[in-house]
Amino acid sequence: MIILKDLAQQALQDKYCLKNHKQFETIGFDPEELIQLKEMDHRELTGLMIYCGIHVYNGVPLLVLKDDEMRMAYLVWRASCIDVKKIEVTKKWGRGMKWFSYLRIAMELLEEQ
């Protein structure tokens, strides 16, 4: 489970790095994230936006965004991270099925001999 408040604090205190985003692609969406997101105040939400690299949402800069808009921006960003991983897994699954069909054909040829 991802603790969003810790990530927001990390972004506000330390230098932030794009390598940290990989964890969002590998972890599925947890409904607990919605509860954590609802409990965050404006400062924490701003830190979370900085951590995630969200600087603009619907053409509106981060400094002008309201709390609910920041929450929605995070959810949209999170959904896009999950889609990236889903596309990657789907490509690998298709390739695996292709090799499985080749193996099945080879087995059929061996059985005929």
Side-chain angles (χ1 to χ4, degrees):
M1 182 174 84
I2 299 173
I3 300 174
L4 298 178
K5 288 187 179 191
D6 291 345
L7 299 178
Q9 285 293 70
Q10 181 182 353
L12 292 174
Q13 293 174 353
D14 302 331
K15 289 185 178 181
Y16 124 105
C17 181
L18 288 176
K19 287 187 258 181
N20 296 332
H21 294 176
K22 288 293 179 186
Q23 68 178 340
F24 287 103
E25 293 176 5
T26 57
I27 297 174
F29 187 77
D30 184 10
E32 183 69 27
E33 285 182 59
L34 291 175
I35 296 169
Q36 292 180 37
L37 202 58
K38 185 179 178 186
E39 294 173 351
M40 294 177 83
D41 62 5
H42 185 78
R43 183 174 184 276
E44 291 169 335
L45 285 168
T46 303
L48 184 63
M49 297 297 107
I50 292 170
Y51 183 86
C52 296
I54 302 170
H55 304 292
V56 176
Y57 177 66
N58 283 343
V60 180
L62 176 62
L63 295 173
V64 183
L65 289 177
K66 297 178 182 173
D67 291 352
D68 289 336
E69 292 171 330
M70 283 192 245
R71 290 180 180 102
M72 184 58 73
Y74 173 78
L75 291 175
V76 169
W77 177 82
R78 186 73 167 95
S80 69
C81 286
I82 292 171
D83 284 343
V84 167
K85 189 63 175 180
K86 188 185 295 183
I87 290 169
E88 183 180 316
V89 168
T90 302
K91 287 180 185 177
K92 290 180 181 177
W93 182 79
R95 191 169 50 206
M97 291 303 294
K98 180 178 162 183
W99 280 104
F100 180 73
S101 67
Y102 288 154
L103 181 62
R104 188 181 64 211
I105 292 169
M107 293 299 290
E108 289 173 0
L109 289 174
L110 287 174
E111 287 176 0
E112 290 177 5
Q113 295 178 353

